[in-house]
Amino acid sequence: MATGDINGDGLVDVLVGGVEQSAVLMGTTAGLAFPTTILAQGRAARLGDLNHDGHDDAVLFEQTENGFRANVFHGSAAGLDQAGVTGCYAESPVSTVTIGDVTGDGLADIVMQHNESYRTGSGQLNNRHRVVVCSETAAGAFETTPYTVENSTSTVGVHALVDLDGDPAAEILLWDPEDAEIQRWDVSATLTTQTIRAGQQDTILDFSVVDMFGRGRRDLLALRESVDLVFPATETGFGPAQSTVLCGTRHADLNGDERPDFVGTLNGDVCLSMSAGAFTMTVDYATPRAFPVGRAATRVALVDLNRDGRTDILTLNPDTSDIAFVEGR
């Protein structure tokens, strides 16, 4: 589930990806509009303004004979152009995709990651993790730049994030849940990395970057199966971790104290971790609490759906094929 503004009216629109189709729910002053627009492709749905025309575009994947293809559906005042244009290709199934400016040119890029296995000259089986940065030109064409990481593990995810080090480009964080580590990439100049260890034999479920301590720096949050970890940002990367227990990585200031609160799902319910007071250099959050919203919620999004200045919660409920709306107070 992705949220954005497709038609530039200032209202939140929602894109829900499926296996073979995606649904577009346009925002109105009365809420989300039905019926929905249905697009033919459905994998890895993301929204972002790729051509800088003030309208968010949809990125959807479809399987082809040669791999996976990213199709771009441009937004406009009339909604999404349902014809779509071909963006870029991946030779094997795409594991993760996101949108952000990683080249520092001021334009959003499609960043996707896929894995492939190969044998070395000695016969050892390794995995090659390819990160593909796909950018739309002023003429509407797409240019692709691949990056390759040799790695002996089998699962890596990629996230493109906002700038962490003060240059015009966002960094890419490679996420290896099996080895419980995160690698920080900067591709705007030369390829540089920093490896952040998140503990042995404790799978990383998700991660995000957020200012946890009110210093104007984005700290690294690693959500794990047991205790979660926060790595404070430093001048050169991320420092030693502090432990905490949080509901998820989606965050917004829900109670008006100017600190991030965290929202996720727990056993099909919505889970909240609320901040416990003023900013300090210690991660202090109240005990997570869960409450039912719809049935078997699997995804959450935080948006101001009704434009009242408060953050609302949207949950995706696959069992009932609907979206639940929790109004912020």
Side-chain angles (χ1 to χ4, degrees), residues 164 173 184 194 196 209 218-220 231-234 236-240:
L164 297 175
L173 296 190
R184 174 184 172 186
Q194 176 197 10
I196 302 101
V209 287
R218 296 174 69 87
D219 310 297
L220 176 64
F231 298 84
T234 68
T236 57
F238 298 101

Side-chain angles (χ1 to χ4, degrees), residues 247-258:
C247 283
T249 58
R250 303 283 188 235
H251 54 86
D253 180 13
L254 300 178
N255 56 6
D257 65 356
E258 299 183 353

Side-chain angles (χ1 to χ4, degrees), residues 2-298:
T3 60
D5 186 1
I6 294 171
N7 56 1
D9 62 358
L11 298 170
V12 175
D13 307 312
V14 178
L15 174 66
V16 180
V19 177
E20 296 180 351
Q21 292 182 330
S22 289
V24 181
L25 293 78
M26 302 300 293
T28 72
T29 54
L32 295 176
F34 293 87
T36 62
T37 299
I38 302 297
L39 300 175
Q41 293 83 32
R43 296 177 183 269
R46 295 292 184 270
L47 285 173
D49 187 2
L50 298 174
N51 55 3
H52 269 216
D53 64 352
H55 304 94
D56 280 335
D57 312 307
V59 180
L60 301 170
F61 282 83
E62 65 172 333
Q63 188 169 3
T64 68
E65 293 182 357
N66 299 320
F68 280 73
R69 177 172 62 200
N71 293 318
V72 177
F73 299 83
H74 286 113
S76 70
L80 283 181
D81 179 2
Q82 296 191 44
V85 296
T86 298
C88 41
Y89 290 89
E91 297 176 356
S92 57
V94 174
S95 299
T96 53
V97 61
T98 190
I99 295 176
D101 179 14
V102 297
T103 56
D105 61 359
L107 299 175
D109 308 301
I110 303 170
V111 183
M112 56 186 182
Q113 180 272 333
H114 60 106
N115 306 327
E116 59 183 27
S117 299
Y118 72 101
R119 291 194 179 276
T120 64
S122 62
Q124 180 181 357
L125 184 63
N126 278 359
N127 287 298
R128 180 182 291 116
H129 306 291
R130 296 189 182 277
V131 176
V132 178
V133 178
C134 185
S135 305
E136 185 170 1
T137 67
F142 285 84
E143 297 177 345
T144 298
T145 305
Y147 300 91
T148 301
V149 179
E150 307 293 340
N151 198 296
S152 59
T153 58
S154 60
T155 307
V156 170
V158 62
H159 291 248
L161 303 166
V162 298
D163 177 43
L164 297 175
D165 57 7
D167 66 11
E171 281 77 39
I172 297 175
L173 296 190
L174 281 177
W175 161 34
D176 186 344
E178 292 187 2
D179 272 4
E181 73 178 27
I182 297 168
Q183 288 188 354
R184 174 184 172 186
W185 278 27
D186 186 347
V187 303
S188 60
T190 57
L191 188 64
T192 58
T193 65
Q194 176 197 10
T195 299
I196 302 101
R197 296 292 302 176
Q200 298 287 346
Q201 298 179 348
D202 195 351
T203 300
I204 301 175
L205 303 176
D206 197 4
F207 73 93
S208 182
V209 287
V210 56
D211 184 1
M212 298 289 292
F213 307 107
R215 302 174 300 154
R217 295 178 178 175
R218 296 174 69 87
D219 310 297
L220 176 64
L221 166 64
L223 199 69
R224 304 191 304 169
E225 289 184 333
S226 57
V227 176
D228 307 319
L229 297 178
V230 175
F231 298 84
T234 68
E235 294 289 344
T236 57
F238 298 101
Q242 296 186 33
S243 60
T244 186
V245 177
L246 297 172
C247 283
T249 58
R250 303 283 188 235
H251 54 86
D253 180 13
L254 300 178
N255 56 6
D257 65 356
E258 299 183 353
R259 294 186 59 188
D261 306 300
F262 294 88
V263 182
T265 60
L266 179 65
N267 299 325
D269 295 334
V270 169
C271 179
L272 292 179
S273 296
M274 305 295 288
S275 57
F279 277 115
T280 67
M281 282 306 295
T282 302
V283 182
D284 53 343
Y285 278 79
T287 302
R289 60 188 181 93
F291 58 93
V293 175
R295 291 182 56 189
T298 60

